[in-house]
Amino acid sequence: MEAQAQSLGLKLIFVDFPEEVHDWMEAYVQGISRVRDKYGIRVIATGDINLVGTMQRNWMERACEGAGIKCHLPLWDIEKEKTLDMLLEERFEVIFSCVKSPFFDESWIGRKLDHRAIQDLKDIISRELTKAQMDSGVKPLDLCGERGEYHTMCIDGPLYQHKVEMGMKPKPIQQELQLTKWRGNIHNSDCIWAII
């Protein structure tokens, strides 16, 4: 993220959370409030596209409201394939930085988001979930990874002064997870791979 911010000519601001959080919404509100007070921020923009799981409202919108600032959601309710196509048309270079089972394996780490990857995502979506997956709360893959099934990193594009070089190790980290059974999200994945 530091390299991305530097290439974009932006200051990177972190919001720290206490180690043991019991109320995540309150932690977000307090963190955003600290940033608001320290930097005079009045608006936060997010790339959220739609609601996740059982949420009634967008999480960041609620947190920003609680901190007394605006939340800008420029991609809200946009058609998902159109969003991915726009990234490619605008010449953004995006790679997969974190993927989770049951939809992905380590071969996706560092892979470019391109037309072939989009087709592969659509192919995964077209496969039916097993009864065991549905019983454990796994939802079908969201094309844009809105349930946390995958995460990406933009490493170059029109706004970048230079490409972000990723000194990736040959093998991504792999973490075995205990199923959380948190319905409505993919956090009940049993394995995650990520860039190190």
Side-chain angles (χ1 to χ4, degrees):
M1 287 189 300
E2 290 171 355
Q4 286 172 307
Q6 190 272 329
S7 181
L8 290 164
L10 298 172
K11 180 179 181 79
L12 180 62
I13 299 170
F14 289 97
V15 175
D16 295 317
F17 296 105
E19 278 191 35
E20 294 198 23
V21 174
H22 299 288
D23 182 344
W24 278 103
M25 179 53 70
E26 183 57 26
Y28 267 68
V29 169
Q30 293 304 314
I32 293 169
S33 296
R34 286 191 303 275
V35 169
R36 177 203 64 210
D37 295 344
K38 184 171 182 178
Y39 299 101
I41 290 173
R42 295 175 290 161
V43 177
I44 289 180
T46 80
D48 294 348
I49 297 174
N50 56 23
L51 295 175
V52 176
T54 58
M55 289 183 186
Q56 301 286 317
R57 283 184 61 207
N58 177 269
W59 178 271
M60 287 301 297
E61 192 173 45
R62 288 177 46 216
C64 287
E65 185 178 282
I69 69 172
K70 292 181 181 176
C71 183
H72 182 54
L73 302 161
L75 301 178
W76 194 253
D77 276 341
I78 194 168
E79 198 273 316
K80 294 180 182 176
E81 190 169 354
K82 179 180 176 183
T83 302
L84 297 177
D85 287 339
M86 273 190 325
L87 279 172
L88 301 181
E89 288 168 16
E90 300 274 339
R91 297 185 332 270
F92 284 96
E93 186 173 340
V94 177
I95 62 170
F96 290 84
S97 57
C98 176
V99 298
K100 299 175 185 173
S101 66
F103 304 112
F104 303 99
D105 61 30
E106 68 182 69
S107 70
W108 283 79
I109 297 299
R111 181 179 177 178
K112 277 188 183 179
L113 176 66
D114 56 17
H115 292 292
R116 179 72 239 158
I118 293 170
Q119 185 57 53
D120 288 347
L121 292 170
K122 290 163 63 176
D123 290 347
I124 292 169
I125 291 168
S126 71
R127 293 183 214 139
E128 291 191 23
L129 294 175
T130 66
K131 181 174 179 351
Q133 288 171 328
M134 289 187 286
D135 289 347
S136 71
V138 173
K139 303 291 184 201
L141 174 66
D142 181 276
L143 186 61
C144 288
E146 281 294 281
R147 288 188 287 273
E149 303 97 327
Y150 70 85
H151 301 280
T152 58
M153 179 183 299
C154 183
I155 59 173
D156 202 7
L159 304 173
Y160 283 65
Q161 295 170 17
H162 55 80
K163 183 177 179 174
V164 173
E165 294 302 326
M166 298 293 302
M168 293 190 314
K169 298 198 176 181
K171 194 161 177 68
I173 61 168
Q174 178 178 344
Q175 182 180 3
E176 302 293 329
L177 306 171
Q178 289 187 329
L179 297 179
T180 62
K181 307 283 191 224
W182 186 52
R183 303 228 178 240
N185 202 312
I186 196 67
H187 287 96
N188 56 1
S189 170
D190 61 4
C191 192
I192 182 172
W193 294 270
I195 287 177
I196 52 172

